[in-house]
Amino acid sequence: MNISIIQPPQVAWASGLFSGGPLIRKSTCIGNLANVFADEQAWQAYPPHEVVYEVDMLDSASTEGALYTGVTHLNPGKVGDEYFMTRGHFHARREQGEVYCGLRGTGLLLLQDEQGAARLEHVFPGSVHIIPGFTAHRLINTGSDILSALAVWPSAAGHDYAALAQGFSVRVVEEGGEARVKEINHD
Ligand code: F6R
Ligand code: MN
């Protein structure tokens, strides 16, 4: 028998950069994030093509039971006093979970259940985050470096952004040089 040994794709843990695999890259710019940040005027004042985050994903199988692997690189920055963050989503298949691992930079992972109850976890190189099903998730970069986090999730999970059109129930802003968590009342 002639068994071949395959060279898998690699990720550089310190930077989160992939090499050796077919990749799909998706960039999200300020202009794609309408109604995400609280300060509409500050958002309007930004060049719309400024990149907020990029996701590099291994181009792997999308069949039921398969897993996707991707790294999010979230730039440092603020819109008004609110830190750069990802749009955030529930999975379309609500029961499907995900694992995030912090690789570079520092920030927060905002988790929110379907009743609107929110919690935050520190993200840092080596942090491991178990995101259960039925839980919306968003990365927030509270540091001055790029925040990079590796994620593994079921290919069949899908994304539901519309369910959070009203926004999360927490915003993270800079106040006096420090991150401050503000609770938002949507009633
Ligand atoms: C996949 C996942 C991440 C995010 C990425 C960008 O399920 O959670 O790969 O997709 O961090 O965030 P969104 O998709 O909210 O723009
Ligand atoms: Mn997800």
Side-chain angles (χ1 to χ4, degrees):
M1 215 178 6
N2 209 349
I3 296 178
S4 59
I5 302 178
I6 290 161
Q7 189 64 29
Q10 276 173 264
V11 64
W13 292 120
S15 64
L17 295 177
F18 281 117
S19 56
L23 280 186
I24 300 168
R25 171 169 285 190
K26 186 181 169 216
S27 294
T28 300
C29 305
I30 284 282
N32 303 124
L33 295 171
N35 305 316
V36 168
F37 295 96
D39 188 337
E40 171 83 20
Q41 265 192 345
W43 175 76
Q44 289 276 1
Y46 256 102
H49 295 297
E50 171 138 347
V51 173
V52 179
Y53 58 99
E54 284 178 320
V55 180
D56 284 343
M57 239 181 86
L58 293 176
D59 189 5
S60 53
S62 59
T63 45
E64 181 78 30
L67 298 170
Y68 280 145
T69 305
V71 174
T72 300
H73 301 283
L74 175 58
N75 286 326
K78 279 176 294 165
V79 176
D81 60 3
E82 192 172 19
Y83 294 105
F84 274 10
M85 57 194 177
T86 57
R87 180 184 297 280
H89 58 269
F90 281 103
H91 290 153
R93 291 260 305 264
R94 287 286 194 280
E95 79 285 3
Q96 305 275 329
E98 182 161 2
V99 175
Y100 276 25
C101 296
L103 300 177
R104 162 172 69 170
T106 51
L108 294 167
L109 175 63
L110 172 56
L111 300 167
Q112 185 168 309
D113 69 18
E114 290 187 294
Q115 287 68 48
R119 58 193 192 276
L120 290 154
E121 295 184 359
H122 281 293
V123 184
F124 52 89
S127 63
V128 178
H129 310 270
I130 312 293
I131 304 171
F134 304 95
T135 306
H137 39 287
R138 156 182 280 171
L139 284 168
I140 302 165
N141 189 346
T142 56
S144 49
D145 194 3
I146 299 169
L147 178 67
S148 298
L150 179 106
V152 179
W153 70 101
S155 316
H159 295 99
D160 179 356
Y161 296 99
L164 282 156
Q166 236 202 332
F168 283 75
S169 49
V170 156
R171 291 191 176 276
V172 184
V173 298
E174 189 190 72
E175 222 178 66
E178 292 198 354
R180 191 171 83 81
V181 178
K182 280 168 66 172
E183 282 184 57
I184 310 297
N185 194 349
H186 289 301
D187 304 332

